[in-house]
Amino acid sequence: MNARTDLTSTFTDPDDLDNNRSANPHFQDVLNAGMSRRNLLRGSAGGALAAMFAPLALSGCGGGDNPAPAPAPVSPAPTETLLGFTAVAKTLADTNTVPAGYSASVILACGDPLAAGVPAYKNDGTDTGYDKRVGDCHDGIQYFGLSASGTRDDNSNARALLAMNHEYITPVVLHVNGGSPRPRPASEVDIEVDCHGITVAEVAKDAAGKFAAVVSSPFNRRITGSTAMELSGPARGHALFVTKFSPNGTRTRGTMNNCGNGKTLWGTLLTTEENWSGYYFRAAGDQAQRSAKLNASFARYGRNVTATSAANSRYGWETAGTGDLYARWNTSVVGTSTDGSDDYRHEWFCQGFMVEVDPYNATSVVKKRTGLGRFAHENSAFGLPVAGKPLAVYMGCDSQNEYVYKWVSAENWNPADANAADRLAVGDKYLDRGKLYVAKFNENGTGEWVELTVTNPAIAGAAFGFTDQAEIYIHTRIAADAVGATKMDRPEWVDVHPRTGELYITMTNNSSRRVAPTGTQTRVDAANPRAYVDVFAGQSTASGNVNGHIVRFKDASPEATSFNWDVYLFGGEAGADPKLVNLSGLTADQDFSSPDGLVFSRSTGLCWIQTDDGAYVDVTNCMLLAAIPGQLGDGSAVTLSYSGGVSVTTRMGAKPTAATLKRFYVGPYDCEVTGLCETPDGKTIFINIQHPGDGTTAANLGDPSKYTSQWPSIVGYGAGKRPRSATVVITKNDGGRVGT
Ligand code: FEO
Ligand code: CA
Ligand code: CA
């Protein structure tokens, strides 16, 4: 996200917030445990590359309502070469730039109808009824195959449901005059709330073999910021979930700021709530009506107030009137009850979870899986499933200096559950009972998963005063602080290498990382070793880990409490200092900044890397790169020697070559490239373009030549010239797999 268009001058981009004031250690406090990295890790680059071409190891996730065999590995055509395409150059062009031999087209743009009878989108700010239109600010996206008869079919390449997130909104382009100041008109708020959440949309190949939306599909569904849903898992019914809407604390409304997402092994969407906190207004003086404990939690998640200072809301929805759907955005004590059943003082506690949706049933209940913790969830990835062992789900908390988490199911994996008819019951089984862990990255290349339990002495003894396990799932960051979790450079998407089982997680950037920190800044450490100054457009500068990196780790088993890690790749400009910035030796065909989306193809095994950048956008729009990673430990220890005598030793993977990392796509101007899914045969990928042209101002709405982007109309899609978030479909002209 890159929120420049919020309707308040006092709102800060939540991605940039650092609410972590814990004193958790960094690696300067950890004794050097010896550098014999290769004794800890297995394999070699050559071995890993050879193995990439072996059949994928995914198991137990094939079939549909009628159990079917697992998808057969797709054998490369004899002439196929992964990364055989010519790299796309960096560009500021306001278009889809793909390699020679590839085609890109647009579907499912913001506002497109999702039901018969919904008027065509005019794209002039007069459109309404977004509960039956595609939402805004597309993000994570998943592919759910459909058979010709309309049942789940994981092998279908021709018909599917795309389930995607709508992270936030670009209000300027949604309203005729760019949106009204506070107090906000209810008509505008209704549009904005409906533009959030999730879209499930059917797509199918037309007679020409090209994917198009099925507007009247009975599967089409919008879940919005006001959709009623269940609070499930171990915190269900907690006193902090009691609201006027749900006096017994079992239900709430809306899923907010859905960022990345994931797909379960049983055919459901596991979506996320990332920067939800800032949607809520909290009044000045509210702290006097709360316990010290709750005030500490509000502060740790960015809603601190004082007697004279309120916590402003992102879009001012609470100002639209006294109606229940507006009042709920005020998370202050306004009622007289002792339990919160007459107001929305607890509404804020009902957000921040992983959320499960069954896309194959448009009327299915939506469940917030509280056991997976409450924080700024980026996405979720299952480790490779092992029959008879617990399932592991990996997750990052995307704010500066936040943590990496793991959920381990109490139940052992039964592959038959992959094809169960009642998919949400399978979710109940594996996602409502289990253990939640947080990661510590040690300097020597090992790591620890620390279980977050109320009986852990560090948590039981924390000043916060945890009293029951359910509180761990609500105030998760505070429990993680207490056990000394490692502060990371904004953990974004995580995914599992489909053959090695190693986890790759992007650390997008961190403007508060420093060599010599002051105040709330954090010190460079082995897993977050870079801090430097970058000059933007020859003028302004940025400091910290400006360009981001990708950490890689491996558990010996799903329930392992230790792991090994290294840094797979460092972002940076090709011309940057090779000893402190461009450590991975990126060339002009590979250089990138701020990795965010990261998805492995289950067909080709390629690692797709997407950027959400603000540091290199004077040179290039955000992009999609294709990579063939090696394996944990295929590189070596590298020491960064900073001025002032400070040095940091990290564990770096083998540097990429022209054959293992290549820029594949550059998006339109002023966008983020995010979310990726594919047909099972790997011949079509779907990616999302979020907020193209979000630098467009209300004052310029009358002059399209002043929009910072006119995408996708500029590539021939849709009415009007206002920029719109949309999905891009990419195929290879010769019918081959994408990325070859
Ligand atoms: Fe929504 Fe973490 O990017
Ligand atoms: Ca981001
Ligand atoms: Ca993201």
Side-chain angles (χ1 to χ4, degrees):
M1 62 158 33
N2 179 2
R4 283 187 260 171
T5 53
D6 300 329
L7 294 168
T8 165
S9 59
T10 57
F11 189 83
T12 304
D13 183 344
D15 271 354
D16 289 337
L17 288 179
D18 171 17
N19 295 300
N20 192 348
R21 299 289 180 258
S22 71
N24 284 356
H26 297 279
F27 293 121
Q28 76 272 17
D29 300 324
V30 181
L31 291 176
N32 187 324
M35 306 307 295
S36 185
R37 178 77 174 140
R38 288 188 180 277
N39 291 336
L40 295 167
L41 306 172
R42 299 181 290 118
S44 67
L49 288 176
M52 175 63 76
F53 294 91
L56 305 182
L58 282 177
S59 61
C61 52
D65 288 327
N66 302 312
V74 179
S75 299
T79 57
E80 184 182 67
T81 303
L82 290 177
L83 268 54
F85 60 89
T86 299
V88 163
K90 296 185 287 288
T91 179
L92 295 170
D94 189 27
T95 190
N96 302 306
T97 303
V98 293
Y102 281 85
S103 297
S105 59
V106 174
I107 59 170
L108 298 173
C110 173
D112 279 358
L114 287 169
V118 175
Y121 196 60
K122 296 192 286 293
N123 192 24
D124 58 3
T126 64
D127 301 281
T128 58
Y130 285 85
D131 58 337
K132 292 187 173 59
R133 298 182 183 275
V134 176
D136 197 7
C137 285
H138 300 34
D139 207 317
I141 184 168
Q142 302 292 336
Y143 183 97
F144 296 90
L146 274 179
S147 68
S149 61
T151 57
R152 176 182 166 196
D153 177 3
D154 292 355
N155 297 316
S156 173
N157 295 301
R159 184 182 179 195
L161 304 174
L162 296 179
M164 76 170 91
N165 289 345
H166 301 292
E167 185 179 17
Y168 67 116
I169 53 173
T170 47
V172 164
V173 298
L174 294 175
H175 306 303
V176 174
N177 296 313
S180 306
R182 303 169 195 222
R184 304 291 317 284
S187 59
E188 290 185 1
V189 171
D190 293 346
I191 287 171
E192 294 177 9
V193 173
D194 283 347
C195 277
H196 282 74
I198 297 155
T199 290
V200 178
E202 183 178 340
V203 294
K205 284 180 177 170
D206 60 19
K210 191 174 175 184
F211 274 104
V214 182
V215 174
S216 59
S217 168
F219 291 104
N220 289 352
R221 181 181 193 182
R222 282 303 318 286
I223 295 163
T224 75
S226 56
T227 300
M229 51 192 71
E230 293 283 318
L231 290 153
S232 191
R236 176 179 169 85
H238 196 278
L240 289 176
F241 294 160
V242 169
T243 63
K244 190 175 175 184
F245 175 72
S246 181
N248 66 359
T250 59
R251 303 181 77 219
T252 188
R253 285 173 295 196
T255 179
M256 300 309 302
N257 208 265
N258 309 92
C259 191
N261 54 26
K263 185 176 176 179
T264 67
L265 305 170
W266 47 94
T268 62
L269 178 74
L270 198 55
T271 189
T272 60
E273 298 177 337
E274 191 196 30
N275 289 304
W276 43 273
S277 177
Y279 286 78
Y280 293 91
F281 173 78
R282 189 176 174 222
D286 187 65
Q287 86 288 345
Q289 305 194 59
R290 308 291 187 128
S291 65
K293 186 173 182 173
L294 290 193
N295 282 320
S297 188
F298 275 116
R300 185 64 180 81
Y301 287 81
R303 290 290 90 182
N304 193 34
V305 295
T306 68
T308 55
S309 164
N312 206 354
S313 64
R314 184 168 190 164
Y315 301 116
W317 293 342
E318 79 285 354
T319 67
T322 55
D324 198 56
L325 284 173
Y326 312 115
R328 74 188 184 102
W329 300 107
N330 179 354
T331 196
S332 313
V333 176
V334 298
T336 56
S337 69
T338 54
D339 64 356
S341 59
D342 61 347
D343 62 15
Y344 289 99
R345 73 187 71 167
H346 295 147
E347 180 83 352
W348 178 84
F349 292 100
C350 301
Q351 296 282 342
F353 296 106
M354 299 294 312
V355 184
E356 187 175 11
V357 177
D358 181 355
Y360 291 104
N361 179 351
T363 59
S364 57
V365 65
V366 177
K367 293 196 171 189
K368 297 202 179 194
R369 300 294 183 187
T370 60
L372 280 69
R374 178 170 168 270
F375 45 88
H377 279 285
E378 176 69 21
N379 85 320
S380 61
F382 283 76
L384 295 185
V386 180
K389 300 282 264 181
L391 293 177
V393 182
Y394 300 89
M395 305 169 286
C397 176
D398 176 17
S399 280
Q400 293 190 5
N401 308 312
E402 293 295 345
Y403 308 130
V404 177
Y405 296 86
K406 175 170 82 164
W407 167 261
V408 177
S409 65
E411 298 276 351
N412 292 327
W413 174 238
N414 176 358
D417 287 333
N419 301 311
D422 187 346
R423 285 172 281 273
L424 291 173
V426 180
D428 294 343
K429 177 178 176 181
Y430 294 107
L431 299 178
D432 277 352
R433 294 181 300 280
K435 297 177 178 178
L436 185 63
Y437 298 82
V438 71
K440 294 169 82 167
F441 290 79
N442 299 322
E443 183 171 298
N444 65 358
T446 66
E448 303 159 50
W449 292 111
V450 183
E451 188 183 350
L452 300 177
T453 67
V454 73
T455 54
N456 180 319
I459 294 175
F464 181 73
F466 284 99
T467 55
D468 62 59
Q469 183 65 24
E471 288 188 337
I472 302 259
Y473 305 116
I474 296 174
H475 315 288
T476 308
R477 283 178 171 174
I478 296 172
D481 294 342
V483 302
T486 303
K487 297 176 176 180
M488 305 298 285
D489 284 346
R490 286 183 55 196
E492 297 252 23
W493 285 66
V494 56
D495 200 10
V496 62
H497 189 301
R499 198 200 59 76
T500 68
E502 293 170 355
L503 282 304
Y504 288 67
I505 181 164
T506 53
M507 301 294 153
T508 191
N509 53 53
N510 186 351
S511 63
S512 77
R513 187 72 63 177
R514 289 292 186 280
V515 175
T518 59
T520 58
Q521 294 168 342
T522 45
R523 189 182 304 277
V524 288
D525 61 32
N528 305 275
R530 293 190 308 172
Y532 50 97
V533 176
D534 179 66
V535 180
F536 181 86
Q539 298 172 11
S540 58
T541 59
S543 300
N545 177 5
V546 179
N547 303 116
H549 60 287
I550 302 173
V551 171
R552 169 171 59 187
F553 60 90
K554 182 167 192 179
D555 284 346
S557 66
E559 71 275 36
T561 55
S562 63
F563 59 89
N564 293 320
W565 67 267
D566 68 5
V567 176
Y568 158 55
L569 196 62
F570 288 97
E573 300 177 16
D577 181 345
K579 289 197 166 69
L580 291 175
V581 180
N582 189 14
L583 300 173
S584 292
L586 304 179
T587 67
D589 286 344
Q590 304 166 322
D591 60 345
F592 66 94
S593 177
S594 301
D596 187 336
L598 186 149
V599 178
F600 278 93
S601 166
R602 270 53 179 176
S603 173
T604 58
L606 288 174
C607 178
W608 294 103
I609 300 166
Q610 303 173 310
T611 67
D612 173 17
D613 185 45
Y616 208 12
V617 289
D618 51 338
V619 172
T620 182
N621 301 338
C622 287
M623 62 184 70
L624 169 68
L625 304 104
I628 304 174
Q631 179 165 328
L632 185 66
D634 61 10
S636 58
V638 173
T639 298
L640 290 78
S641 298
Y642 291 105
S643 60
V646 177
S647 68
V648 177
T649 298
T650 188
R651 315 285 167 150
M652 194 174 88
K655 292 181 181 179
T657 69
T660 63
L661 179 65
K662 204 174 274 189
R663 189 179 304 105
F664 176 80
Y665 168 90
V666 179
Y669 195 77
D670 236 353
C671 83
E672 169 183 350
V673 180
T674 181
L676 185 147
C677 61
E678 62 185 351
T679 51
D681 63 11
K683 294 181 176 179
T684 302
I685 66 169
F686 304 86
I687 61 173
N688 275 333
I689 298 303
Q690 183 184 98
H691 69 65
D694 84 335
T696 301
T697 64
N700 289 338
L701 284 174
D703 183 355
S705 71
K706 292 181 178 172
Y707 300 173
T708 62
S709 170
Q710 293 182 18
W711 192 94
S713 75
I714 205 165
V715 294
Y717 188 88
K721 293 187 184 302
R722 293 185 179 200
R724 301 162 70 186
S725 295
T727 301
V728 176
V729 186
I730 301 177
T731 53
K732 197 176 183 195
N733 298 344
D734 68 2
R737 297 194 295 175
V738 177
T740 60

